[in-house]
Amino acid sequence: QGRDWWQRTVTDDLGSRYNWAFVRELIRDLRKAREGGDLMGTVKSLRQCTRKNVGGVMSNELFAFTNSGEPKFVVTEFVAEVCESLRWITDQCADVGVGGAEARGGGEGSE
């Protein structure tokens, strides 16, 4: 079960090519801000995640090793937390009417 070991570990031969500590820090920061209800903190953390290939998580090597297209678990966790944080921000903005039809001038009577 070499594939499972490879997906779990970040200390393998490829590990030095990626910034796993930074990726894990981003996961922690996103989760802490989101779970704490800190909208601006979540946005600030997400801005860090929009860098091209942040921490190396989009490297082809990370998806090709298992021959199944499955990356390391830390990459899966990172992407899942980014998605969850984006959903949470969207929900928070919807709750207060930010970015809705009214904000865009598309509310009732705008035809």
Side-chain angles (χ1 to χ4, degrees):
Q1 302 307 355
R3 178 179 68 187
D4 291 340
W5 174 85
W6 182 85
Q7 286 181 289
R8 279 191 313 273
T9 188
V10 293
T11 58
D12 59 347
D13 293 340
L14 295 176
S16 62
R17 298 182 192 176
Y18 306 98
N19 193 342
W20 298 128
F22 181 61
V23 172
R24 285 186 169 143
E25 181 180 342
L26 286 172
I27 293 168
R28 277 191 304 270
D29 290 349
L30 283 168
R31 192 169 289 145
K32 180 179 177 184
R34 179 177 52 79
E35 290 176 351
D38 182 356
L39 183 64
M40 293 311 296
T42 305
V43 170
K44 181 180 174 185
S45 294
L46 279 170
R47 288 187 65 193
Q48 299 267 345
C49 301
T50 60
R51 296 180 186 162
K52 183 179 179 181
N53 199 18
V54 65
V57 299
M58 296 307 297
S59 170
N60 289 337
E61 291 176 316
L62 294 177
F63 295 87
F65 184 85
T66 63
N67 295 319
S68 67
E70 298 175 24
K72 289 189 174 278
F73 292 139
V74 67
V75 174
T76 303
E77 182 182 7
F78 173 72
V79 171
E81 185 56 45
V82 168
C83 291
E84 183 62 28
S85 294
L86 287 169
R87 279 188 214 96
W88 181 78
I89 287 174
T90 301
D91 291 346
Q92 297 304 302
C93 291
D95 287 348
V96 295
V98 175
E102 295 79 21
R104 293 188 303 271
E108 283 188 41
S110 65
E111 297 174 40

